[in-house]
Amino acid sequence: MSTKPTPFTGETLREVGEFGLIDRIAARFGPLVEGDWLGIGDDCAVIPWGTGGEGAGGELPEKPTPAEVLLATTDLLVEGSHFRLEWTTPEDLGYKALAVNLSDVAAMGGKPFGALMAIGIPEALPVAWVERFMDGVHALCREHGVALLGGDTTRSRNGLVVDFTVLGRAREADVRLRSHARPGDLVAMTGWPGESGAGLSWRLEHAEAATVVAQPADNPDLARMLLAHDRPRVFVREGAFLGRMTGVGAMLDLSDGLLSDAGHIAVRSGCDLWVDVEQVPVSRALGSVCERYGWDPLRLALSAGEDYGLLFTLRPELAQQVLDAYEATFGERPTLIGRVSPCADRTQPALRLRRGGEPWRVPWSGFDHFRR
Ligand code: ADP
Ligand code: MG
């Protein structure tokens, strides 16, 4: 279906791409961002937020408390683009719509504390469906101590739309930006990339059979992929933990896939990010599902989105210490997948892949809403 409005000619969104469009918005509105505020370009906006406390009787505290920042982020889910009602339970959709925003706060090294929920709802949707959607939101709010502070509710004639704005806080020193990578850093990640993408691929290939009532109970590996897509694990406590650790450099969450997101750290930090594709964690379950359905697990792990693992860099001399502390706290260890190098081509810092020890030109790309 062509949706080009007639009086407008010239470049299409498909040509410019999601990130090209965001660059244009940033170029126009960026200059309005005040002093040491951080606007467009990272997982959250960062706004300096006072000194974080008072001493007795309203006096200044005896010792200066660490300066805090407010983190703000918003992520939108649109029926037909991000989900289909026949493929998700209302609880899962509520969970996911909030979870992806908590993930962006975690990716800054912060802790989420409040949320605003804006929803556009088709009038035919039963109230009981919305109640169950809210159950999913509520459970996640409770789990992470996030208060629902407000929102907006409207009728939608074009499917369900849900957007959360999430607020978080962090000590200024704990904020981890995409620009914090340095040559020599190691590159690490959490989670199992590609699983969410495999769940989605299965649904796309089995659209008829893929309704929520017909989950493939006989295949636990596939069930794991579907769960990864419907209720992605988000590393909320882990992100705040990594923010507090000396030795962690840049960080982001993998929402558009490694190929797309790792490049953001490279560009923002002005370095090359070298990733050894053999080190990228491919779960046994993903391998087995891919074998059964004839998909390439590496392709899914590199280019499929919506896994929400954290990708971060580590100062090499502190890396083992950070990974040990993480493992002692969470009972699992992030995977080392590469290293940061000085930018080989000064004008184009980039994610670069190595396979079998040799530079490898990947034949796929990460997710972009407009480029297909
Ligand atoms: P993430 O995947 O971490 O949510 P995105 O790739 O969606 O980040 O966005 C990249 C950056 O662009 C973020 O800083 C985000 O706030 C900003 N951004 C995206 N869309 C818009 C928009 N319509 N207006 C202003 N800023 C935007
Ligand atoms: Mg993000």
Side-chain angles (χ1 to χ4, degrees):
M1 184 176 68
S2 168
T3 53
K4 204 177 194 180
T6 23
F8 298 98
T9 53
E11 277 180 307
T12 62
L13 287 171
R14 202 177 287 226
E15 284 154 7
V16 173
E18 177 185 349
F19 298 109
L21 183 62
I22 293 173
D23 285 347
R24 286 175 189 218
I25 298 172
R28 189 190 275 216
F29 293 93
L32 297 176
V33 175
E34 304 250 336
D36 51 358
W37 294 30
L38 180 75
I40 297 172
D42 218 301
D43 295 289
C44 290
V46 184
I47 301 155
W49 202 27
T51 58
E54 284 181 332
E59 299 287 317
L60 279 174
E62 221 156 86
K63 284 187 193 157
T65 49
E68 274 201 40
V69 296
L70 177 67
L71 304 168
T73 185
T74 190
D75 246 319
L76 173 69
L77 298 188
V78 174
E79 184 180 346
S81 294
H82 296 95
F83 62 90
R84 294 195 199 171
L85 288 180
E86 68 272 24
W87 287 355
T88 180
T89 66
E91 291 87 348
D92 284 351
L93 188 65
Y95 166 94
K96 184 169 178 177
L98 178 61
V100 300
N101 284 281
L102 302 187
S103 175
D104 274 322
V105 172
M108 303 297 290
K111 184 182 168 347
F113 66 87
L116 301 157
M117 173 173 71
I119 40 177
I121 315 177
E123 60 192 332
L125 210 61
V127 175
W129 192 99
V130 183
E131 291 280 1
R132 285 180 50 190
F133 171 89
M134 238 96 79
D135 289 343
V137 175
H138 188 241
L140 193 61
C141 281
R142 287 188 59 121
E143 184 181 338
H144 291 292
V146 172
L148 187 71
L149 300 169
D152 195 24
T153 306
T154 172
R155 175 169 73 150
S156 167
R157 292 179 191 277
N158 296 300
L160 184 69
V161 175
V162 50
D163 174 71
F164 277 94
T165 298
V166 167
L167 305 174
R169 50 189 287 209
R171 292 193 315 176
E172 198 173 20
D174 295 347
V175 172
R176 295 296 185 263
L177 303 183
R178 295 175 177 186
S179 57
H180 284 168
R182 283 198 220 138
D185 280 3
L186 304 182
V187 179
M189 66 175 295
T190 68
W192 298 103
E195 293 197 343
S196 172
L200 177 62
S201 298
W202 184 82
R203 291 226 175 92
L204 291 170
E205 288 185 13
H206 300 81
E208 297 297 309
T211 57
V212 267
V213 283
Q215 300 288 8
D218 60 324
N219 185 342
D221 289 335
L222 178 56
R224 174 176 157 133
M225 307 298 121
L226 294 170
L227 188 69
H229 189 71
D230 294 338
R231 293 182 80 84
R233 174 168 172 203
V234 283
F235 294 79
V236 182
R237 293 187 183 85
E238 291 85 346
F241 176 89
L242 288 168
R244 289 194 303 274
M245 299 297 291
T246 313
V248 176
M251 182 154 64
L252 55 65
D253 68 330
L254 293 167
S255 52
D256 295 328
L258 198 66
L259 286 181
S260 201
D261 290 326
H264 298 319
I265 290 187
V267 170
R268 292 257 149 199
S269 297
C271 306
D272 286 342
L273 235 74
W274 280 95
V275 167
D276 291 303
V277 293
E278 286 94 351
Q279 307 300 322
V280 173
V282 171
S283 68
R284 186 210 52 78
L286 177 62
S288 109
V289 167
C290 284
E291 203 176 309
R292 177 158 169 186
Y293 294 102
W295 305 323
D296 181 345
L298 187 60
R299 177 175 185 162
L300 284 169
L302 292 177
S303 63
E306 298 194 287
D307 277 302
Y308 302 101
L310 296 172
L311 181 75
F312 56 98
T313 74
L314 285 164
R315 309 293 181 235
E317 66 282 9
L318 293 167
Q320 291 312 318
Q321 211 173 305
V322 172
L323 296 175
D324 288 348
Y326 185 104
E327 189 172 2
T329 308
F330 300 108
E332 59 192 8
R333 208 173 171 85
T335 313
L336 289 172
I337 60 169
R339 193 181 268 277
V340 180
S341 299
C343 180
D345 165 3
R346 240 168 230 296
T347 54
Q348 273 203 325
L351 167 69
R352 299 178 193 280
L353 302 176
R354 231 189 304 259
R355 194 173 196 177
E358 296 295 322
W360 183 54
R361 186 174 286 278
V362 65
W364 329 294
S365 56
F367 183 77
D368 183 304
H369 267 284
F370 300 113
R371 285 191 172 142
R372 298 292 166 81

